[in-house]
Amino acid sequence: APSDSAFKKSGQPSLDLLRFHLSPLPLPPASLRLLTAGSKIPTMLPGQTLTVTTSSSDRVTSFNNIKLTGSPIYDDGILLVYGIDRFFDPTFQFNSQRPSDNSDTSCSAKNHTASASDSFDQAIQTLKTGGYSAMASFLGMQLSGVADQSGITVFAPTDDTVMSRIGDFGEYPSFFRRHVVPCRLLWNDLVNFGDGSELPTFLEGFAINITRSDGVLILNGVPVFFPDVFFNDRVVVHGVSDVLAAQDSAIKDNALRIDDDDDDDDEILFDPSEF
């Protein structure tokens, strides 16, 4: 949110400029501090992103060389508002070397379980209290205490999404494993992968393909909408807007729509055998 003095100095902003100041990602201060210089943040202006310009010596986060207030002006857990002293410049250019599009995660899928650890217990508790109880149950039952120094990354759909898509999720043990990557990837790691990069999962033969749409990070056709829901030295959790399916399956699901004669909304038909 630009200050009142910024509005007085610049005059009436265009609708596109206002959209450039809105991001579809909830980014609390803890998440902002993890973003490295050059990381891209999607905005509500199609095709335009903000660039993180925070240096190692800065105490507060900056986008497009404009510093944000250290703490949100408003934060209800869903909407966060930070203050800035002037408008962001949509023509801003940031020159830096980005990692190769074919970044190597140095991960290999491992299918084993061990005793529960404090790191997993913390993640499970956070997920349970944040509306991700289904994913918390899977984490506790299937992968608690995975003994690997590289840790894991969980892409978690909400409980409502899980239950509406697969019903009795206990019958589908492969569901959770395709949402987990056998290495620890924070948000600033994910945004540095190029389009077409693939992440291995704990489900043999299932990979997560990374693309972008209007600056939003997309995993097998599903947007990441809540980065860094939880993270510690072993586990990272990112919220996603739907369950992750194989890309061919996702395309087929989107095609299988029928019109309800009594309702204008479309209904999507899913094949439970896919899960």
Side-chain angles (χ1 to χ4, degrees), residues 130-148:
Y132 301 91
S133 295
M135 296 303 291
S137 298
F138 279 120
L139 182 60
M141 291 186 296
Q142 297 195 41
L143 289 175
S144 287
V146 170
D148 191 289

Side-chain angles (χ1 to χ4, degrees), residues 60-71:
V60 295
T61 302
S62 65
F63 292 154
N64 291 24
N65 281 339
I66 297 177
K67 292 183 178 180
L68 281 62
T69 51
S71 299

